[in-house]
Amino acid sequence: MMKAAVIYQAGGPEVLKIEQRPIPTPTPGQVLIQVKAFGLNRSELFTRQGHSPNVKFPRVLGIEATGIVASCPSNEFKKGDMVVTAMGGMGRDFDGGYAEYTCVSAANVQVIKTELSWEVLGAMPEMLQTAWGALFKALRLGVGERLLIRGGTSSVGLAAAAIARNHGGYVTSTSRRADRDAFLKERGAHEVLVDDGDIAGKGGEKWDKVLELIGTSTLRDSLRCVKEGGCVCMAGIVGNKWSFDEFSPMEDIPTAVNLTTYSGGPDEFMVTPLEELARQVKEGKLKIQIGRVFKLDDIVEAHRVMEENSAGGKIVVLT
């Protein structure tokens, strides 16, 4: 038997119930992972609140997990390999990472050889997949380009700033708080702007690319921050709003400005160079900002902290 956090109905953090469940049995092509850590993600919060109609309850949530291979019938991996997994239906179509064991497709697993703490490894898969994919698949960030990160203090925003700077980009990060200036510059930003919702109105040189992590509440303004030929990528909803009440493309998208999104699926996860990024973390070239660390027994409190946006970085749960 294993410990798992199970949701039976939508609601507040308290609907997550710790239970004993049978350990899943992998079939050929699958991997049974003994979960050591997992990061929390806002999509799980929305699912818990009832905003994912395709997710059927009861369900073990969790779109990512980090741990050790316990069993692999087709021998794609060796027992004891340190691995990470994310997306591919985890915590949505089948039971995910909020448990001591999870069973996933072998095609959706990466081995990590670089030794890091479980807290750091647990923070990496989905956060770095999103940051990397948004920067290089969606925005196609080039060396020397000016990048604006809207929602710079979010875990993805912090990771994106460090990755973009290492790549040779010029990074401007935003925060609603003026006292975050030094914090953001230590983590990759060249420049920090206080975000009052009107960055475009501040004037100055526009950006080549914008990574929009707040969502629709600032997206119109972000579109006005970009040079002609530039691009805005919406890849997050820290502002908790998925959609516009009204949207007029001819008015809201300036001429010759491109708008795209990034959500990232199994294919994007598998091409994210997580071993290389883990090496950069080990060498001190990439900082992983961990906000809070909880135990699985404290999953209700962990979700409460995520809902309050009070962690100050990625929330990680250890089993």
Side-chain angles (χ1 to χ4, degrees):
M1 300 291 283
M2 68 172 186
K3 187 185 296 182
V6 186
I7 179 172
Y8 287 88
Q9 62 184 38
E14 68 283 351
V15 299
L16 295 165
K17 307 294 185 185
I18 298 295
E19 295 182 358
Q20 290 293 318
R21 285 199 150 197
I23 295 172
T25 302
T27 57
Q30 291 185 321
V31 184
L32 179 66
I33 299 171
Q34 182 184 2
V35 179
K36 294 292 187 178
F38 57 87
L40 294 194
N41 298 281
R42 296 197 75 78
S43 66
E44 296 151 3
L45 184 153
F46 291 120
T47 300
R48 193 208 75 217
Q49 292 173 331
H51 302 312
S52 302
N54 294 330
V55 179
K56 301 291 184 278
F57 298 152
R59 176 64 69 223
V60 176
L61 299 181
I63 64 169
E64 65 177 311
T66 298
I68 295 169
V69 172
S71 175
C72 185
S74 301
N75 298 314
E76 290 94 343
F77 301 95
K78 298 192 297 292
K79 187 174 181 178
D81 277 349
M82 189 161 62
V83 292
V84 293
T85 185
M87 306 302 285
M90 281 186 75
R92 299 178 66 82
D93 302 331
F94 58 90
D95 288 340
Y98 287 19
E100 292 177 322
Y101 290 86
T102 189
C103 196
V104 301
S105 168
N108 203 39
V109 174
Q110 289 196 44
V111 173
I112 303 293
K113 299 189 184 302
T114 300
E115 291 189 8
L116 295 165
S117 69
W118 287 118
E119 289 95 333
V120 172
L121 285 167
M124 286 174 44
E126 175 61 10
M127 178 177 71
L128 294 185
Q129 181 270 131
T130 303
W132 180 272
L135 290 174
F136 300 119
K137 179 169 186 172
L139 287 173
R140 301 175 190 172
L141 183 70
V143 174
E145 287 193 318
R146 289 168 50 81
L147 171 71
L148 174 65
I149 300 177
R150 217 64 196 261
T153 57
S154 66
S155 59
V156 172
L158 293 166
I163 292 169
R165 183 166 184 149
N166 288 345
H167 182 69
Y170 181 88
V171 180
T172 303
S173 291
T174 75
S175 172
R176 288 175 296 178
R177 291 167 45 186
D179 63 359
R180 304 299 263 174
D181 187 278
F183 173 81
L184 287 164
K185 286 178 177 174
E186 286 169 7
R187 285 155 181 80
H190 295 88
E191 178 186 20
V192 177
L193 296 177
V194 176
D195 199 338
D196 58 1
D198 185 22
I199 298 293
K202 299 183 189 302
E205 186 181 353
K206 292 188 174 185
W207 288 268
D208 299 293
K209 307 287 167 66
V210 177
L211 178 55
E212 175 58 81
L213 297 171
I214 299 173
T216 54
S217 58
T218 52
L219 182 57
R220 280 189 179 90
D221 185 60
S222 290
L223 287 163
R224 292 166 50 228
C225 291
V226 186
K227 300 173 182 176
E228 285 195 8
C231 186
V232 177
C233 172
M234 181 169 153
I237 43 166
V238 176
N240 290 342
K241 201 164 189 311
W242 284 105
S243 57
F244 288 113
D245 296 324
E246 291 184 21
F247 182 67
S248 172
M250 293 295 288
E251 292 179 17
D252 294 328
I253 304 176
T255 297
V257 166
N258 300 289
L259 171 62
T260 188
T261 63
Y262 181 81
S263 56
D267 292 343
E268 288 78 16
F269 172 73
M270 289 305 292
V271 299
T272 304
L274 287 170
E275 171 59 25
E276 168 58 26
L277 294 171
R279 267 202 304 275
Q280 291 181 23
V281 173
K282 185 88 167 178
E283 293 165 2
K285 296 175 182 174
L286 176 60
K287 286 187 177 179
I288 299 292
Q289 182 66 26
I290 297 172
R292 295 279 301 275
V293 179
F294 293 90
K295 298 292 285 182
L296 181 56
D297 285 330
D298 301 317
I299 190 69
V300 170
E301 179 61 21
H303 258 248
R304 192 165 283 123
V305 169
M306 176 165 58
E307 200 157 348
E308 293 167 352
N309 281 332
S310 61
K314 185 74 172 180
I315 300 172
V316 179
V317 178
L318 302 177
T319 58

